[in-house]
Amino acid sequence: MADENQTNEGATEQKQEAPQFAIQRVYTKDISFETPNSPAIFQKEWKPELQLDLDTRSAKLSDDTYEVILALTVTATVEGQTAFLAEVQQAGIFTIGNLPEAQLAHTIGAFCPTTLFPYARESVANLVNRGSFPQINLAPVNFDALFASYVQKAKEQAAQAPASAETH
């Protein structure tokens, strides 16, 4: 009987210590589409220059619950004029628990945006289609590489900060 209690207690501890990840909700937080130079832009030959800007941010909602927001801005210009500007803030509420701090930061900074990107990409494609522009499909984004670059830059800035403080 004592062995059974110890086994049950050990199983309970393992369940509590096991990493947790769940998507509670994925939703569009904000969406905008502008065609500032229409209808004149429709008369030009369609050879657009596309620019994609990405940003992520997060907020802790409760102990193991986080909101992550992926913001995409797609700007198309033709002959120096803005054809369209599509902005989408795709958000999600995630339960993330029992992760070491570095792994938690990676999950929030890379894994969650990777989960949200297909939804945001679809929204942008839909907006562009409704604006009667030719279809665009945004290429996949490697959020792991972007997050690794961000961490590396943060380390470099942290290393430079004490050095500049000592010189002043």
Side-chain angles (χ1 to χ4, degrees):
M1 187 89 166
D3 289 339
E4 287 178 18
N5 287 341
Q6 288 177 349
T7 304
N8 288 341
E9 288 174 13
T12 302
E13 287 176 18
Q14 285 179 347
K15 283 183 183 177
Q16 291 174 348
E17 293 175 10
Q20 297 175 341
F21 180 84
I23 301 170
Q24 290 187 13
R25 183 174 301 252
V26 173
Y27 56 98
T28 303
K29 191 165 183 95
D30 189 22
I31 199 163
S32 172
F33 186 78
E34 301 172 26
T35 58
N37 292 302
S38 62
I41 202 73
F42 297 122
Q43 305 303 312
K44 297 185 182 290
E45 184 179 356
W46 186 248
K47 289 186 179 179
E49 291 181 29
L50 292 176
Q51 179 180 339
L52 171 64
D53 294 316
L54 293 168
D55 189 29
T56 60
R57 61 185 188 276
S58 62
K60 189 172 187 174
L61 303 177
S62 66
D63 286 341
D64 292 340
T65 306
Y66 299 84
E67 178 189 48
V68 178
I69 302 167
L70 172 63
L72 295 178
T73 302
V74 179
T75 307
T77 56
V78 175
E79 298 176 13
Q81 290 187 319
T82 301
F84 66 80
L85 178 70
E87 297 175 307
V88 174
Q89 288 186 15
Q90 192 68 49
I93 299 175
F94 301 90
T95 300
I96 308 167
N98 299 324
L99 291 177
E101 191 172 327
Q103 197 173 2
L104 175 64
H106 179 266
T107 300
I108 291 171
F111 188 76
C112 292
T114 298
T115 302
L116 296 171
F117 184 75
Y119 296 96
R121 186 168 101 171
E122 179 184 17
S123 293
V124 168
N126 193 7
L127 289 169
V128 170
N129 182 44
R130 288 175 181 252
S132 80
F133 291 96
Q135 180 178 0
I136 65 164
N137 290 312
L138 298 177
V141 175
N142 185 341
F143 287 98
D144 287 323
L146 291 175
F147 182 76
S149 174
Y150 168 79
V151 169
Q152 184 63 34
K153 285 180 185 174
K155 285 181 182 178
E156 290 171 3
Q157 289 176 349
Q160 290 175 356
S164 63
E166 291 174 7
T167 58
H168 293 294

